[in-house]
Amino acid sequence: MITIFSNPRPFAGHFDLIQRNAIKSWLALKPACQIILLNDEQNTSVGIAREYGIECITDVACNEFGTPLLNDVFAKVKQTAKHDIIAQVNTDIIVMDDFLQTVRSVHDFLGEKPFFMVGRRWDVDVSEPFDFTAANWATVLRERIHSQGSLHGMAGMDYWVFPRTFDFKPPAFVVGRPGMDSWLVFQARSHRIPVIDATAAITIVHQNHNYPAKRSEHYEIEKKRNIELAGGLTCMMTLRDADWMFDRTGLRRPAFPKRFYSLLSLFYPWRLLLALKRRVPALGSG
């Protein structure tokens, strides 16, 4: 039904544990999905793909620091994808059966019309492998979410679902750095493509971890480069700018005040105001 692709970190230490959990949850989806990994900088994803019987793309273009570039990732994934619907899912994200159910419902409702579906995640500490063959694994995980988890903010978008025919034409964004997913939302809204917030329908679990990339010398360089490629902060949006919602009642327009904010999203003065607001803490910390 859908093709899932992901850019893993090297499979080592805690990341080996949580990324295996994520991939095994994708493999547990019914009907089965095509799963594609993009090789990591230490070439560990090739062996993992072989172990789980999934695909791995090894020739994606990278910048001078060895970080993959989104434009080539999209191009290679579209060449390899076997299905009409593509989902980018971060490799630390566990999904459940409501993921495919919602994708199917949205696709059935919109038919051949393009869309861009995203949603918030639940942050949970995970230190053990999950048994996805157990009949009650999803129930156990949902109980942990409600007792220990926290719902992430509007800027965190750890999955994107869109038709294969939707050509974003992204610039050479550095994968995994700020600005990339926010620009995708902006592109969809700018082209009057429905941006669907599926938080109420899809429960995804982000397995908490540290962020070693932020400690690298080139992180700030790549972050700045992404923001410049996006066209600046005025060309970046979050889930607050979604103009559709999907929940148990189906696809609908958001209620006030979210609907009001989504209507304002396409007006440059409003985006400029938000951009200035975002820059204030950044300037203060510098």
Side-chain angles (χ1 to χ4, degrees), residues 61-285:
C62 298
N63 65 8
E64 69 270 30
F65 306 115
T67 316
L69 302 176
L70 185 67
N71 58 336
D72 199 51
V73 168
F74 270 30
K76 295 288 177 25
V77 167
K78 286 192 174 186
Q79 291 171 6
T80 310
K82 299 176 182 177
H83 301 292
D84 294 332
I85 303 296
I86 293 176
Q88 188 284 144
V89 184
N90 288 359
T91 330
D92 51 17
I93 295 296
I94 294 174
V95 302
M96 305 187 203
D97 56 2
D98 54 13
F99 185 76
L100 285 191
Q101 292 169 5
T102 303
V103 172
R104 185 184 299 110
S105 296
V106 169
H107 184 251
D108 289 347
F109 186 88
L110 292 175
E112 299 305 314
K113 295 179 181 178
F115 65 89
F116 186 68
M117 189 170 74
V118 288
R120 298 165 72 182
R121 75 194 195 206
W122 287 89
D123 295 323
V124 178
D125 289 334
V126 174
S127 58
E128 75 282 358
F130 279 94
D131 179 7
F132 293 95
T133 64
N136 66 336
W137 74 263
T139 301
V140 171
L141 187 52
R142 288 180 189 277
E143 290 174 352
R144 181 183 293 195
I145 290 169
H146 294 307
S147 63
Q148 305 173 19
S150 59
L151 188 61
H152 201 78
M154 292 286 187
M157 292 171 277
D158 288 52
Y159 70 87
W160 326 317
V161 183
F162 53 93
R164 183 178 178 177
T165 54
F166 184 10
D167 188 2
F168 289 93
K169 294 183 172 62
F173 283 125
V174 182
V175 171
R177 305 295 179 260
M180 176 181 64
D181 48 3
S182 302
W183 180 86
L184 293 172
V185 175
F186 173 76
Q187 279 295 100
R189 288 299 317 272
S190 299
H191 288 85
R192 301 301 194 273
I193 304 298
V195 175
I196 303 167
D197 181 352
T199 302
I202 295 176
T203 300
I204 63 166
V205 178
H206 171 258
Q207 303 165 92
N208 292 333
H209 56 80
N210 59 18
Y211 291 87
K214 291 186 177 181
R215 298 193 295 269
S216 66
E217 295 180 357
H218 54 264
Y219 178 83
E220 289 299 326
I221 297 173
E222 294 178 327
K223 176 182 175 180
K224 181 180 179 182
R225 191 175 295 174
N226 270 10
I227 294 173
E228 290 175 349
L229 286 171
L233 295 174
T234 58
C235 299
M236 296 165 62
M237 294 183 176
T238 70
L239 278 162
R240 287 190 179 88
D241 302 288
D243 55 341
W244 289 89
M245 310 285 289
F246 191 91
D247 57 22
R248 293 179 181 178
T249 66
L251 194 62
R252 60 176 177 81
R253 292 290 192 177
F256 182 86
K258 186 174 175 62
R259 176 62 174 152
F260 177 70
Y261 292 136
S262 70
L263 289 171
L264 284 175
S265 297
L266 296 179
F267 289 90
Y268 178 78
W270 173 254
R271 299 202 310 275
L272 179 60
L273 179 64
L274 292 179
L276 292 172
K277 181 181 177 182
R278 292 187 191 114
R279 282 194 59 82
V280 168
L283 291 173
S285 62

